[in-house]
Amino acid sequence: MSRVALVTGGSRGVGQGVARSLVDDGWTTYVTSRHGTGPEGAIALACDHTDDAAVAAVFDEIASSSGQLDLLVNNAWAAPKGFGGFSDPFWKRPVDDWDTLIGVGLRAHYVASVHAAQLMTEAGRGLITNISSFGSRGHLHSVLYGMSKTALDKMAADMAVELKGTGVSAISLWLGLIRTELLLSLGIDEFAGFSLQRAEDPEFVGRVISRLAQDPDLAAHSGHTLVTAELGARYGIVNNDGTPPDSHRGAFGGGPLFPPAIETDQAVEPRKDES
């Protein structure tokens, strides 16, 4: 059976790498970007994710052309003015940071998820995935950045409750430091105290998502926030150069908050047959 995926914000960075990996793994892969560009092999659609009508048109096109959607990767994101590490505290930042970090980084994910769920529940299968961050657990970049990422985790948790029994799963993913082309171009060995040698390639994230979407135990993870580096260890997935990336769990004081830990907040352990 053919598999169809949509990666929002797929023209560069994490989204581009995820889309590239999905294409390599045989997915019919759509990507959105403002200018309608994407990696080779993907079907690029122009879309401004602040325009609800434009988003609806993307899903109409997928339904018309492919007749199904099996995977949504919510990755669309817009940087606030002067983004480069958020060196200023919130009271010295423009209030319209809200419009990018919440208006795009959160609302756009919700809108896309509504459309994806309509297609997926009708088919009785699918995975909605949010690209989130350890910024949900500890301070990272800014107040609004942390708010948006924590909301994505909660959104997946609550969507899973309402999707129960439909065959559709919702999961949020915490990525570590990503070896984007921009970051590698800086010629540095570490960023914010994390080693680039042990960071994640964007394609690594895509391979993890592809494997997760095909996991026979996927439904058991619905509503959870999972760490990509730990999923990679479980599935035996490594970076492009063969190295396993590090989980940043320890650096941020623990693991995901959704669902709440029962006893101890532990990492995803490798299966006995996959260790």
Side-chain angles (χ1 to χ4, degrees):
M1 180 183 295
S2 62
R3 297 167 296 170
V4 180
L6 168 62
V7 181
T8 65
S11 64
R12 59 183 178 178
V14 172
Q16 184 184 71
V18 168
R20 188 179 293 121
S21 289
L22 292 174
V23 169
D24 289 345
D25 201 28
W27 291 76
T28 297
T29 306
Y30 293 85
V31 300
T32 60
S33 69
R34 284 177 296 175
H35 303 293
T37 58
E40 184 177 356
I43 303 167
L45 302 174
C47 180
D48 178 350
H49 278 272
T50 65
D51 182 344
D52 290 353
V55 176
V58 165
F59 286 89
D60 287 344
E61 173 63 25
I62 294 172
S64 175
S65 299
S66 295
Q68 67 189 73
L69 180 65
D70 304 289
L71 171 64
L72 168 65
V73 181
N74 276 318
N75 174 73
W77 192 79
K81 297 174 183 177
F83 175 73
F86 295 103
S87 58
D88 294 328
F90 72 91
W91 65 90
K92 295 183 179 180
R93 288 292 307 170
V95 173
D96 64 9
D97 280 0
W98 179 280
D99 300 330
T100 51
L101 292 170
I102 305 297
V104 178
L106 176 59
R107 189 181 187 279
H109 291 50
Y110 178 80
V111 174
S113 296
V114 168
H115 289 285
Q118 291 169 356
L119 293 176
M120 292 176 177
T121 54
E122 184 175 346
R125 67 179 186 275
L127 171 62
I128 297 171
T129 304
N130 294 332
I131 298 298
S132 188
S133 160
F134 281 90
S136 295
R137 180 78 192 200
H139 182 272
L140 182 65
H141 297 319
S142 77
V143 171
L144 285 173
Y145 181 88
M147 287 170 59
S148 68
K149 296 303 185 183
T150 305
L152 289 178
D153 299 348
K154 179 61 171 170
M155 186 173 85
D158 286 353
M159 283 183 174
V161 173
E162 298 186 14
L163 287 167
K164 187 174 181 179
T166 66
V168 181
S169 298
I171 290 173
S172 203
L173 295 175
W174 281 4
L175 281 56
L177 181 64
I178 302 295
R179 296 196 290 208
T180 61
E181 291 182 4
L182 176 60
L183 192 57
L184 293 174
S185 70
L186 300 177
I188 56 179
D189 295 324
E190 65 174 41
F191 183 82
F194 297 105
S195 167
L196 262 68
Q197 185 176 4
R198 303 285 293 187
E200 300 174 27
D201 290 322
E203 294 81 8
F204 164 83
V205 178
R207 289 191 288 271
V208 166
I209 292 174
S210 182
R211 178 65 178 81
L212 178 64
Q214 300 172 75
D215 192 327
D217 295 328
L218 175 62
H221 299 305
S222 189
H224 290 226
T225 298
L226 305 173
V227 178
T228 50
E230 295 169 7
L231 283 171
R234 175 176 182 172
Y235 294 141
I237 297 172
V238 294
N239 274 323
N240 300 343
D241 59 7
T243 60
D246 290 333
S247 168
H248 297 339
R249 177 183 291 263
F252 283 89
L257 307 177
F258 301 107
I262 298 174
E263 294 181 359
T264 58
D265 204 355
Q266 297 179 344
V268 175
E269 296 293 339
R271 294 174 180 168
K272 292 181 180 179
D273 61 346
E274 296 177 331
S275 57

